[in-house]
Amino acid sequence: MNVTRINVNAQRCIGAGQCVLIAPEVFDQTDEGTVTVLADTVDGSAQGVVREAVRACPSKSISLTEG
Amino acid sequence: MPTSDPISIEFPTRRRGQLSPPDEYAELRARPGLVKSALPNGSTVWLVTRHEDVRTVLTDPRISASPTHPGFPTIGRNGTVPHPDQIPGWFVAYDPPDHTRFRKALIPEFTVRRVGELRPAVQRIVDGRIDAMLAGGTTADLVAAFALPVPSLIICELLGVPRTDRELFESRTQVLVTFTSTDDERDAAAQDLLLYINKLIAMKQRFPGRDLTSRLLRAGVLTPKEISGVALLLLIAGHETTANNIALGVVMLLLNRQWINAPGVVEEVLRYLSVADRVALRVAVEDVEIGGQLIRAGEGIVPLGASANHDEGTFGHAEQFDPSRSARHHVAFGYGVHQCLGQNLVRIEMDTVFGTLFRRIPTLELDQAVEDLPFKYDGVLFGLHALPVRW
Ligand code: HEM
Ligand code: SF4
């Protein structure tokens, strides 16, 4: 099964929260408002929503490693 | 780099009765490079129309959001608010790293979880305005009776404005966005608001509450003077933008009743209408190439959000209002480090408004033909001066 690894950069993050709205089971915001991941990897249908979060993130703080 | 001279066009506007973006945008997107245009005040700017190019402009570090740079574009009437440079804390006009300090101080207040806590207050405010409308008869101007007061009351809630002061707060903000106000009236209203906000800050220093203002004061990262600038920015950035989306969103849903209660409505209203089409203004501080066009340092740039949001390359059947699409990557809130701080509060407001209004007033309808509605075509924001409805 192919698995996608999720990398986030909390330094770049501007706390827009788009990722949290799109994939709340994968992304969360700390009390400081910046991104944190709840799951390091996703597979199956969750990959689609994670890609949507990457596309929506205004600060390009989320990247994926496939494989 | 293309060698052909860029064409220069008149600044595009919507036709009478038109809710979709100006017709010229589609044509401009299809042309290579960028086009030049003269703003109403005579200065020349670059118009950016494609989704990808708009996102590039809003993330390129050689492009600035600060009006202190020569060549920065100005659109619309001046004098509605004091010049941003004179207000410490007006961080939408700062570049990193100055901007970063403010943004970092503010984002804890706008996380999805934190704004979610405001949902009951939002519901109460929306219900309150509907009660008042229903008590007033069977017709109303939805802009004055509902769309304008709701966001302003919600900002009061956010800032911790006591109930007894909300009347004053609301009446002053109303003057700022009413088209019949004279410039003098607007200046006076802005002045009153600034004075009031300073009073509010002094009050919260002595008697802290469970509100944004008190928490910012306690955190001590921003000075009280900066916090008062931030409060004014939140008020101005969050008022008419939201009001226009509410009023025009209601029109969209009355014209497309099958979508009332559809899950993707809020995002699609934001994308389709793009009321803040020409809000994120920029200037190049170094030479930079965008969309195959060289922009020189000191030249003004207007990324057109409504055009980006109707780019066929990014959104299939972009000209259709279709809440079933996935529209999350729209730029109705801008893009890059300045992307709207209030966006998740807006989502809760619009969701509550549409959900409640059509449930409580199922017979709601327009009391004037769409073509005859008083649209704001020439303002900075697309919107409605009034929206006559009946039920
Ligand atoms: C539907 C309603 C709204 C729309 C369409 C909207 C749109 C925008 C846009 C396009 C920007 C980017 C400006 C730029 O890049 O120069 C922005 C920034 C901002 N908005 Fe909103 N906005 C809305 C509601 C709100 C609300 C309710 C608030 C606050 C309570 C708010 C606060 C802000 C702030 C503080 C900024 C500056 C952020 C920064 O510079 O980091 N907005 N908004
Ligand atoms: S969408 Fe991007 S900027 Fe927004 S919270 Fe998530 S990682 Fe941060």
Side-chain angles (χ1 to χ4, degrees), chain A residues 10-22 27-36 52-60, chain B residues 55-56 59 99 103-104 107-113 267 314 326-330 333-341 343-344 347:
Chain A
Q11 288 302 314
R12 285 182 70 97
C13 171
I14 54 140
Q18 299 253 43
C19 55
V20 185
L21 285 177
I22 294 168
F27 301 100
D28 199 0
Q29 284 168 292
T30 63
D31 287 343
E32 283 75 49
T34 50
V35 64
T36 174
E52 200 182 335
V54 172
R55 191 169 60 159
C57 173
S59 61
K60 302 196 178 110
Chain B
R55 281 187 158 199
T56 306
T59 45
H99 170 264
R103 184 88 190 191
K104 291 261 186 243
I107 55 177
E109 297 295 331
F110 288 90
T111 61
V112 172
R113 194 174 302 118
E267 230 58 46
T314 308
S326 155
R328 291 274 181 192
H329 49 306
H330 65 65
F333 289 124
Y335 192 69
V337 296
H338 292 285
Q339 195 186 53
C340 184
L341 181 69
Q343 59 181 286
N344 294 314
R347 290 183 168 107

Short mmCIF file of all heavy atoms in Angstrom, two decimals, chain A residues 10-22 27-36 52-60, chain B residues 55-56 59 99 103-104 107-113 267 314 326-330 333-341 343-344 347:
data_model
loop_
_atom_site.label_atom_id
_atom_site.label_comp_id
_atom_site.label_asym_id
_atom_site.label_seq_id
_atom_site.Cartn_x
_atom_site.Cartn_y
_atom_site.Cartn_z
N ALA A 10 6.37 24.75 10.81
CA ALA A 10 5.64 25.65 11.70
C ALA A 10 6.23 27.06 11.69
O ALA A 10 5.56 28.02 12.05
CB ALA A 10 5.63 25.10 13.12
N GLN A 11 7.49 27.19 11.26
CA GLN A 11 8.11 28.52 11.17
C GLN A 11 7.46 29.36 10.08
O GLN A 11 7.27 30.56 10.23
CB GLN A 11 9.62 28.38 10.86
CG GLN A 11 10.46 27.88 12.01
CD GLN A 11 10.35 28.75 13.24
OE1 GLN A 11 10.42 29.96 13.14
NE2 GLN A 11 10.13 28.14 14.39
N ARG A 12 7.17 28.71 8.96
CA ARG A 12 6.56 29.42 7.82
C ARG A 12 5.09 29.68 8.04
O ARG A 12 4.51 30.61 7.49
CB ARG A 12 6.66 28.56 6.56
CG ARG A 12 8.01 28.47 5.92
CD ARG A 12 7.89 27.61 4.66
NE ARG A 12 7.14 28.31 3.63
CZ ARG A 12 7.71 28.98 2.64
NH1 ARG A 12 9.02 29.03 2.57
NH2 ARG A 12 6.99 29.60 1.75
N CYS A 13 4.44 28.77 8.79
CA CYS A 13 2.98 28.77 8.94
C CYS A 13 2.48 30.13 9.41
O CYS A 13 3.04 30.74 10.30
CB CYS A 13 2.60 27.69 9.94
SG CYS A 13 0.88 27.72 10.43
N ILE A 14 1.39 30.61 8.80
CA ILE A 14 0.81 31.89 9.23
C ILE A 14 -0.54 31.68 9.91
O ILE A 14 -1.33 32.61 10.06
CB ILE A 14 0.67 32.86 8.04
CG1 ILE A 14 -0.11 32.21 6.89
CG2 ILE A 14 2.03 33.34 7.58
CD1 ILE A 14 -1.05 33.14 6.22
N GLY A 15 -0.82 30.43 10.28
CA GLY A 15 -1.98 30.16 11.11
C GLY A 15 -3.32 30.40 10.46
O GLY A 15 -4.29 30.75 11.13
N ALA A 16 -3.41 30.19 9.16
CA ALA A 16 -4.68 30.42 8.48
C ALA A 16 -5.69 29.32 8.79
O ALA A 16 -6.90 29.52 8.64
CB ALA A 16 -4.47 30.51 6.96
N GLY A 17 -5.21 28.17 9.20
CA GLY A 17 -6.11 27.10 9.63
C GLY A 17 -6.82 26.35 8.52
O GLY A 17 -7.72 25.55 8.77
N GLN A 18 -6.44 26.59 7.29
CA GLN A 18 -7.10 25.92 6.17
C GLN A 18 -6.93 24.40 6.28
O GLN A 18 -7.84 23.63 6.03
CB GLN A 18 -6.47 26.36 4.85
CG GLN A 18 -6.60 27.83 4.59
CD GLN A 18 -7.63 28.09 3.51
OE1 GLN A 18 -8.69 27.48 3.49
NE2 GLN A 18 -7.29 28.96 2.61
N CYS A 19 -5.70 23.98 6.66
CA CYS A 19 -5.41 22.55 6.76
C CYS A 19 -6.30 21.89 7.81
O CYS A 19 -6.80 20.79 7.62
CB CYS A 19 -3.93 22.33 7.08
SG CYS A 19 -3.39 23.21 8.55
N VAL A 20 -6.52 22.60 8.92
CA VAL A 20 -7.33 22.05 10.01
C VAL A 20 -8.78 21.88 9.56
O VAL A 20 -9.45 20.90 9.92
CB VAL A 20 -7.26 22.98 11.25
CG1 VAL A 20 -8.00 22.36 12.42
CG2 VAL A 20 -5.82 23.26 11.62
N LEU A 21 -9.26 22.84 8.78
CA LEU A 21 -10.64 22.74 8.29
C LEU A 21 -10.79 21.61 7.29
O LEU A 21 -11.80 20.92 7.26
CB LEU A 21 -11.05 24.05 7.61
CG LEU A 21 -11.35 25.23 8.51
CD1 LEU A 21 -11.67 26.44 7.67
CD2 LEU A 21 -12.52 24.91 9.43
N ILE A 22 -9.78 21.44 6.46
CA ILE A 22 -9.88 20.45 5.38
C ILE A 22 -9.65 19.03 5.90
O ILE A 22 -10.36 18.10 5.51
CB ILE A 22 -8.89 20.80 4.24
CG1 ILE A 22 -9.30 22.12 3.57
CG2 ILE A 22 -8.80 19.68 3.20
CD1 ILE A 22 -8.27 22.70 2.63
N PHE A 27 -4.36 17.41 10.70
CA PHE A 27 -3.70 18.66 11.11
C PHE A 27 -4.41 19.28 12.31
O PHE A 27 -5.62 19.17 12.47
CB PHE A 27 -3.71 19.68 9.97
CG PHE A 27 -3.03 19.21 8.72
CD1 PHE A 27 -3.77 18.73 7.65
CD2 PHE A 27 -1.64 19.23 8.63
CE1 PHE A 27 -3.14 18.30 6.49
CE2 PHE A 27 -1.01 18.79 7.46
CZ PHE A 27 -1.77 18.32 6.40
N ASP A 28 -3.62 19.96 13.13
CA ASP A 28 -4.19 20.72 14.24
C ASP A 28 -3.37 22.01 14.38
O ASP A 28 -2.32 22.16 13.74
CB ASP A 28 -4.13 19.89 15.52
CG ASP A 28 -5.10 20.41 16.58
OD1 ASP A 28 -5.81 21.41 16.32
OD2 ASP A 28 -5.14 19.81 17.67
N GLN A 29 -3.88 22.94 15.20
CA GLN A 29 -3.11 24.15 15.50
C GLN A 29 -2.74 24.13 16.98
O GLN A 29 -3.56 23.78 17.82
CB GLN A 29 -3.96 25.40 15.20
CG GLN A 29 -4.07 25.71 13.72
CD GLN A 29 -5.13 26.76 13.45
OE1 GLN A 29 -6.32 26.50 13.62
NE2 GLN A 29 -4.72 27.94 13.02
N THR A 30 -1.50 24.53 17.27
CA THR A 30 -1.07 24.64 18.67
C THR A 30 -1.72 25.87 19.29
O THR A 30 -2.37 26.65 18.59
CB THR A 30 0.45 24.82 18.75
OG1 THR A 30 0.77 26.06 18.11
CG2 THR A 30 1.19 23.68 18.06
N ASP A 31 -1.51 26.10 20.57
CA ASP A 31 -2.05 27.30 21.22
C ASP A 31 -1.47 28.57 20.60
O ASP A 31 -2.06 29.63 20.67
CB ASP A 31 -1.76 27.28 22.73
CG ASP A 31 -2.64 26.25 23.44
OD1 ASP A 31 -3.65 25.82 22.83
OD2 ASP A 31 -2.30 25.88 24.58
N GLU A 32 -0.28 28.44 20.02
CA GLU A 32 0.32 29.60 19.33
C GLU A 32 -0.32 29.84 17.98
O GLU A 32 -0.03 30.82 17.32
CB GLU A 32 1.82 29.41 19.12
CG GLU A 32 2.68 29.64 20.34
CD GLU A 32 2.56 28.48 21.32
OE1 GLU A 32 2.70 27.32 20.88
OE2 GLU A 32 2.29 28.72 22.51
N GLY A 33 -1.16 28.90 17.53
CA GLY A 33 -1.87 29.09 16.27
C GLY A 33 -1.19 28.46 15.07
O GLY A 33 -1.72 28.50 13.97
N THR A 34 0.02 27.88 15.27
CA THR A 34 0.71 27.31 14.11
C THR A 34 0.42 25.81 13.98
O THR A 34 -0.04 25.16 14.91
CB THR A 34 2.24 27.55 14.18
OG1 THR A 34 2.69 27.14 15.46
CG2 THR A 34 2.56 29.01 13.96
N VAL A 35 0.73 25.31 12.79
CA VAL A 35 0.34 23.94 12.42
C VAL A 35 1.11 22.87 13.18
O VAL A 35 2.28 23.04 13.53
CB VAL A 35 0.52 23.75 10.89
CG1 VAL A 35 1.99 23.87 10.51
CG2 VAL A 35 -0.05 22.42 10.42
N THR A 36 0.42 21.78 13.46
CA THR A 36 1.06 20.59 14.00
C THR A 36 0.35 19.39 13.39
O THR A 36 -0.82 19.49 13.02
CB THR A 36 1.01 20.59 15.54
OG1 THR A 36 1.52 19.35 16.03
CG2 THR A 36 -0.40 20.75 16.06
N GLU A 52 -5.41 18.31 -0.91
CA GLU A 52 -6.23 19.53 -0.96
C GLU A 52 -5.70 20.56 0.03
O GLU A 52 -5.65 21.75 -0.25
CB GLU A 52 -7.69 19.17 -0.66
CG GLU A 52 -8.65 20.23 -1.15
CD GLU A 52 -10.10 19.91 -0.82
OE1 GLU A 52 -10.44 18.72 -0.64
OE2 GLU A 52 -10.89 20.86 -0.74
N ALA A 53 -5.27 20.10 1.20
CA ALA A 53 -4.71 21.01 2.20
C ALA A 53 -3.42 21.65 1.69
O ALA A 53 -3.19 22.84 1.86
CB ALA A 53 -4.46 20.27 3.51
N VAL A 54 -2.58 20.86 1.03
CA VAL A 54 -1.33 21.39 0.47
C VAL A 54 -1.64 22.50 -0.53
O VAL A 54 -1.04 23.57 -0.51
CB VAL A 54 -0.54 20.27 -0.25
CG1 VAL A 54 0.66 20.85 -1.01
CG2 VAL A 54 -0.07 19.21 0.75
N ARG A 55 -2.66 22.25 -1.36
CA ARG A 55 -3.02 23.20 -2.40
C ARG A 55 -3.60 24.49 -1.81
O ARG A 55 -3.45 25.57 -2.36
CB ARG A 55 -4.04 22.53 -3.34
CG ARG A 55 -4.32 23.28 -4.59
CD ARG A 55 -5.12 22.43 -5.56
NE ARG A 55 -6.41 22.01 -5.00
CZ ARG A 55 -7.46 21.63 -5.75
NH1 ARG A 55 -7.35 21.60 -7.05
NH2 ARG A 55 -8.58 21.27 -5.18
N ALA A 56 -4.29 24.38 -0.68
CA ALA A 56 -4.95 25.55 -0.10
C ALA A 56 -4.03 26.35 0.81
O ALA A 56 -4.24 27.54 1.02
CB ALA A 56 -6.20 25.11 0.67
N CYS A 57 -3.03 25.73 1.39
CA CYS A 57 -2.18 26.42 2.38
C CYS A 57 -1.55 27.68 1.77
O CYS A 57 -0.85 27.60 0.78
CB CYS A 57 -1.07 25.49 2.87
SG CYS A 57 0.11 26.35 3.94
N PRO A 58 -1.80 28.84 2.38
CA PRO A 58 -1.33 30.11 1.81
C PRO A 58 0.16 30.36 1.99
O PRO A 58 0.72 31.26 1.37
CB PRO A 58 -2.14 31.16 2.56
CG PRO A 58 -2.44 30.52 3.88
CD PRO A 58 -2.62 29.04 3.59
N SER A 59 0.82 29.59 2.88
CA SER A 59 2.22 29.87 3.15
C SER A 59 3.12 28.71 2.71
O SER A 59 4.29 28.70 3.04
CB SER A 59 2.42 30.13 4.65
OG SER A 59 2.04 28.99 5.38
N LYS A 60 2.57 27.78 1.97
CA LYS A 60 3.32 26.62 1.47
C LYS A 60 4.10 25.95 2.60
O LYS A 60 5.29 25.66 2.48
CB LYS A 60 4.27 27.05 0.34
CG LYS A 60 3.53 27.70 -0.83
CD LYS A 60 4.40 27.76 -2.07
CE LYS A 60 3.65 28.35 -3.25
NZ LYS A 60 4.11 29.69 -3.66
N ARG B 55 -1.20 34.25 -7.23
CA ARG B 55 -0.54 33.63 -6.08
C ARG B 55 0.95 33.95 -6.03
O ARG B 55 1.51 34.17 -4.97
CB ARG B 55 -0.75 32.12 -6.13
CG ARG B 55 -2.13 31.69 -5.63
CD ARG B 55 -2.21 30.20 -5.54
NE ARG B 55 -3.26 29.77 -4.62
CZ ARG B 55 -3.31 28.56 -4.07
NH1 ARG B 55 -2.40 27.65 -4.35
NH2 ARG B 55 -4.28 28.24 -3.24
N THR B 56 1.57 34.02 -7.22
CA THR B 56 3.00 34.36 -7.26
C THR B 56 3.24 35.77 -6.74
O THR B 56 4.13 36.01 -5.92
CB THR B 56 3.55 34.21 -8.70
OG1 THR B 56 3.24 32.91 -9.17
CG2 THR B 56 5.05 34.43 -8.75
N THR B 59 3.16 36.09 -3.01
CA THR B 59 4.17 35.40 -2.20
C THR B 59 5.60 35.82 -2.53
O THR B 59 6.53 35.39 -1.85
CB THR B 59 4.08 33.86 -2.39
OG1 THR B 59 3.94 33.56 -3.78
CG2 THR B 59 2.90 33.28 -1.63
N HIS B 99 5.74 42.61 9.83
CA HIS B 99 4.43 41.97 9.77
C HIS B 99 4.37 40.73 10.65
O HIS B 99 3.38 40.47 11.32
CB HIS B 99 4.11 41.60 8.31
CG HIS B 99 2.91 40.73 8.16
ND1 HIS B 99 2.99 39.36 8.05
CD2 HIS B 99 1.59 41.02 8.13
CE1 HIS B 99 1.76 38.86 7.94
NE2 HIS B 99 0.90 39.83 7.98
N ARG B 103 1.44 39.27 13.15
CA ARG B 103 0.70 38.07 12.76
C ARG B 103 0.83 36.99 13.83
O ARG B 103 -0.15 36.37 14.22
CB ARG B 103 1.24 37.58 11.40
CG ARG B 103 0.50 36.39 10.83
CD ARG B 103 -0.69 36.81 10.00
NE ARG B 103 -1.52 35.66 9.64
CZ ARG B 103 -2.50 35.69 8.76
NH1 ARG B 103 -2.81 36.79 8.11
NH2 ARG B 103 -3.21 34.63 8.51
N LYS B 104 2.06 36.78 14.33
CA LYS B 104 2.29 35.75 15.36
C LYS B 104 1.53 36.08 16.64
O LYS B 104 1.05 35.19 17.34
CB LYS B 104 3.79 35.62 15.68
CG LYS B 104 4.60 35.01 14.54
CD LYS B 104 4.87 33.53 14.76
CE LYS B 104 5.80 32.96 13.71
NZ LYS B 104 5.25 31.93 12.86
N ILE B 107 -2.44 35.29 15.67
CA ILE B 107 -3.03 34.01 15.23
C ILE B 107 -3.58 33.13 16.35
O ILE B 107 -4.55 32.42 16.11
CB ILE B 107 -2.12 33.19 14.26
CG1 ILE B 107 -0.74 32.95 14.85
CG2 ILE B 107 -2.06 33.84 12.90
CD1 ILE B 107 0.15 32.09 13.94
N PRO B 108 -3.04 33.20 17.58
CA PRO B 108 -3.69 32.37 18.61
C PRO B 108 -5.16 32.76 18.79
O PRO B 108 -5.97 31.93 19.19
CB PRO B 108 -2.89 32.69 19.87
CG PRO B 108 -1.57 33.19 19.40
CD PRO B 108 -1.84 33.88 18.10
N GLU B 109 -5.50 34.00 18.48
CA GLU B 109 -6.89 34.48 18.64
C GLU B 109 -7.81 34.00 17.51
O GLU B 109 -9.03 34.15 17.61
CB GLU B 109 -6.91 36.01 18.66
CG GLU B 109 -6.17 36.62 19.84
CD GLU B 109 -6.83 36.25 21.17
OE1 GLU B 109 -8.06 36.05 21.18
OE2 GLU B 109 -6.10 36.17 22.18
N PHE B 110 -7.22 33.49 16.44
CA PHE B 110 -8.03 33.16 15.26
C PHE B 110 -7.88 31.70 14.83
O PHE B 110 -8.16 31.36 13.70
CB PHE B 110 -7.68 34.12 14.10
CG PHE B 110 -8.20 35.51 14.34
CD1 PHE B 110 -7.42 36.46 14.99
CD2 PHE B 110 -9.48 35.88 13.93
CE1 PHE B 110 -7.91 37.74 15.23
CE2 PHE B 110 -9.98 37.16 14.16
CZ PHE B 110 -9.18 38.09 14.82
N THR B 111 -7.42 30.85 15.74
CA THR B 111 -7.35 29.43 15.37
C THR B 111 -8.77 28.91 15.15
O THR B 111 -9.74 29.50 15.63
CB THR B 111 -6.70 28.58 16.48
OG1 THR B 111 -7.49 28.71 17.66
CG2 THR B 111 -5.27 29.02 16.75
N VAL B 112 -8.86 27.79 14.45
CA VAL B 112 -10.16 27.19 14.18
C VAL B 112 -10.88 26.94 15.51
O VAL B 112 -12.08 27.19 15.65
CB VAL B 112 -9.98 25.90 13.37
CG1 VAL B 112 -11.30 25.15 13.24
CG2 VAL B 112 -9.41 26.22 11.99
N ARG B 113 -10.15 26.47 16.51
CA ARG B 113 -10.76 26.15 17.81
C ARG B 113 -11.26 27.42 18.49
O ARG B 113 -12.38 27.49 18.97
CB ARG B 113 -9.73 25.44 18.69
CG ARG B 113 -10.33 24.76 19.91
CD ARG B 113 -9.28 23.95 20.65
NE ARG B 113 -8.64 22.92 19.84
CZ ARG B 113 -7.34 22.89 19.54
NH1 ARG B 113 -6.53 23.81 20.00
NH2 ARG B 113 -6.86 21.92 18.79
N GLU B 267 -18.01 28.60 0.81
CA GLU B 267 -16.77 28.68 0.01
C GLU B 267 -17.08 29.14 -1.42
O GLU B 267 -16.34 29.92 -2.01
CB GLU B 267 -16.10 27.31 0.01
CG GLU B 267 -14.64 27.34 0.37
CD GLU B 267 -14.36 27.94 1.74
OE1 GLU B 267 -15.03 27.62 2.74
OE2 GLU B 267 -13.45 28.77 1.80
N THR B 314 -7.97 26.66 -13.37
CA THR B 314 -7.92 26.25 -11.96
C THR B 314 -9.26 25.73 -11.47
O THR B 314 -9.33 24.80 -10.68
CB THR B 314 -7.48 27.45 -11.09
OG1 THR B 314 -6.29 28.00 -11.63
CG2 THR B 314 -7.23 27.04 -9.65
N SER B 326 -14.96 21.71 -5.25
CA SER B 326 -14.00 21.94 -4.18
C SER B 326 -13.29 23.27 -4.49
O SER B 326 -12.51 23.36 -5.42
CB SER B 326 -13.02 20.76 -4.14
OG SER B 326 -11.82 21.17 -3.58
N ALA B 327 -13.62 24.31 -3.72
CA ALA B 327 -13.15 25.66 -4.05
C ALA B 327 -12.14 26.20 -3.06
O ALA B 327 -11.81 27.37 -3.07
CB ALA B 327 -14.35 26.61 -4.12
N ARG B 328 -11.63 25.33 -2.18
CA ARG B 328 -10.80 25.77 -1.06
C ARG B 328 -9.56 26.59 -1.44
O ARG B 328 -9.04 27.32 -0.61
CB ARG B 328 -10.30 24.56 -0.27
CG ARG B 328 -11.38 23.85 0.46
CD ARG B 328 -11.58 24.49 1.79
NE ARG B 328 -12.61 23.81 2.54
CZ ARG B 328 -13.15 24.29 3.64
NH1 ARG B 328 -12.75 25.46 4.09
NH2 ARG B 328 -14.07 23.63 4.27
N HIS B 329 -9.06 26.40 -2.65
CA HIS B 329 -7.83 27.10 -3.02
C HIS B 329 -8.13 28.44 -3.69
O HIS B 329 -7.28 29.02 -4.35
CB HIS B 329 -6.97 26.21 -3.91
CG HIS B 329 -7.70 25.60 -5.05
ND1 HIS B 329 -8.85 24.85 -4.88
CD2 HIS B 329 -7.48 25.63 -6.39
CE1 HIS B 329 -9.28 24.45 -6.06
NE2 HIS B 329 -8.48 24.91 -6.98
N HIS B 330 -9.35 28.95 -3.52
CA HIS B 330 -9.66 30.29 -4.04
C HIS B 330 -8.82 31.34 -3.31
O HIS B 330 -8.27 31.07 -2.24
CB HIS B 330 -11.16 30.58 -3.90
CG HIS B 330 -11.64 30.68 -2.48
ND1 HIS B 330 -11.22 31.67 -1.62
CD2 HIS B 330 -12.49 29.90 -1.76
CE1 HIS B 330 -11.80 31.50 -0.45
NE2 HIS B 330 -12.56 30.42 -0.49
N PHE B 333 -9.70 35.37 0.02
CA PHE B 333 -9.09 35.93 1.23
C PHE B 333 -7.63 36.32 0.98
O PHE B 333 -6.87 36.51 1.92
CB PHE B 333 -9.13 34.90 2.37
CG PHE B 333 -10.51 34.65 2.93
CD1 PHE B 333 -11.03 33.36 2.96
CD2 PHE B 333 -11.28 35.69 3.43
CE1 PHE B 333 -12.29 33.11 3.50
CE2 PHE B 333 -12.54 35.46 3.96
CZ PHE B 333 -13.05 34.17 4.00
N GLY B 334 -7.22 36.41 -0.27
CA GLY B 334 -5.84 36.68 -0.59
C GLY B 334 -5.02 35.40 -0.51
O GLY B 334 -5.55 34.28 -0.50
N TYR B 335 -3.69 35.56 -0.45
CA TYR B 335 -2.77 34.43 -0.43
C TYR B 335 -1.46 34.93 0.14
O TYR B 335 -1.19 36.12 0.15
CB TYR B 335 -2.59 33.88 -1.85
CG TYR B 335 -1.91 32.54 -1.92
CD1 TYR B 335 -2.55 31.40 -1.45
CD2 TYR B 335 -0.62 32.41 -2.44
CE1 TYR B 335 -1.93 30.16 -1.50
CE2 TYR B 335 0.00 31.16 -2.50
CZ TYR B 335 -0.66 30.05 -2.02
OH TYR B 335 -0.05 28.82 -2.08
N GLY B 336 -0.63 33.98 0.64
CA GLY B 336 0.65 34.38 1.21
C GLY B 336 0.47 34.86 2.65
O GLY B 336 -0.57 34.62 3.27
N VAL B 337 1.47 35.56 3.15
CA VAL B 337 1.50 35.88 4.59
C VAL B 337 0.35 36.76 5.05
O VAL B 337 0.00 36.78 6.23
CB VAL B 337 2.84 36.53 5.04
CG1 VAL B 337 3.99 35.56 4.88
CG2 VAL B 337 3.08 37.83 4.32
N HIS B 338 -0.25 37.53 4.13
CA HIS B 338 -1.35 38.41 4.52
C HIS B 338 -2.73 37.76 4.36
O HIS B 338 -3.74 38.43 4.53
CB HIS B 338 -1.32 39.70 3.69
CG HIS B 338 -0.16 40.59 3.99
ND1 HIS B 338 -0.08 41.36 5.13
CD2 HIS B 338 0.99 40.82 3.30
CE1 HIS B 338 1.06 42.03 5.11
NE2 HIS B 338 1.73 41.71 4.02
N GLN B 339 -2.76 36.47 4.02
CA GLN B 339 -4.09 35.88 3.80
C GLN B 339 -4.96 36.15 5.02
O GLN B 339 -4.51 36.00 6.17
CB GLN B 339 -4.02 34.38 3.50
CG GLN B 339 -5.37 33.90 2.93
CD GLN B 339 -5.42 32.39 2.72
OE1 GLN B 339 -5.16 31.61 3.64
NE2 GLN B 339 -5.78 31.97 1.52
N CYS B 340 -6.21 36.48 4.76
CA CYS B 340 -7.13 36.99 5.77
C CYS B 340 -7.02 36.29 7.13
O CYS B 340 -7.19 35.09 7.25
CB CYS B 340 -8.55 36.90 5.26
SG CYS B 340 -9.74 37.62 6.40
N LEU B 341 -6.77 37.12 8.14
CA LEU B 341 -6.68 36.61 9.50
C LEU B 341 -8.04 36.18 10.02
O LEU B 341 -8.16 35.26 10.83
CB LEU B 341 -6.11 37.74 10.40
CG LEU B 341 -5.92 37.43 11.87
CD1 LEU B 341 -4.78 36.43 12.07
CD2 LEU B 341 -5.64 38.71 12.65
N GLN B 343 -10.54 34.80 8.41
CA GLN B 343 -11.28 33.92 7.50
C GLN B 343 -12.12 32.84 8.19
O GLN B 343 -13.20 32.51 7.72
CB GLN B 343 -10.36 33.30 6.47
CG GLN B 343 -9.22 32.48 7.04
CD GLN B 343 -8.34 31.90 5.93
OE1 GLN B 343 -8.72 30.99 5.24
NE2 GLN B 343 -7.16 32.47 5.74
N ASN B 344 -11.60 32.30 9.29
CA ASN B 344 -12.38 31.21 9.91
C ASN B 344 -13.56 31.75 10.72
O ASN B 344 -14.58 31.07 10.86
CB ASN B 344 -11.47 30.32 10.73
CG ASN B 344 -10.49 29.60 9.82
OD1 ASN B 344 -10.91 29.08 8.78
ND2 ASN B 344 -9.22 29.64 10.14
N ARG B 347 -16.18 32.26 8.04
CA ARG B 347 -16.85 31.00 7.67
C ARG B 347 -17.96 30.68 8.66
O ARG B 347 -19.05 30.26 8.27
CB ARG B 347 -15.83 29.86 7.60
CG ARG B 347 -14.88 30.02 6.41
CD ARG B 347 -13.90 28.86 6.25
NE ARG B 347 -13.24 28.95 4.97
CZ ARG B 347 -11.96 29.31 4.79
NH1 ARG B 347 -11.19 29.58 5.83
NH2 ARG B 347 -11.46 29.40 3.57
#
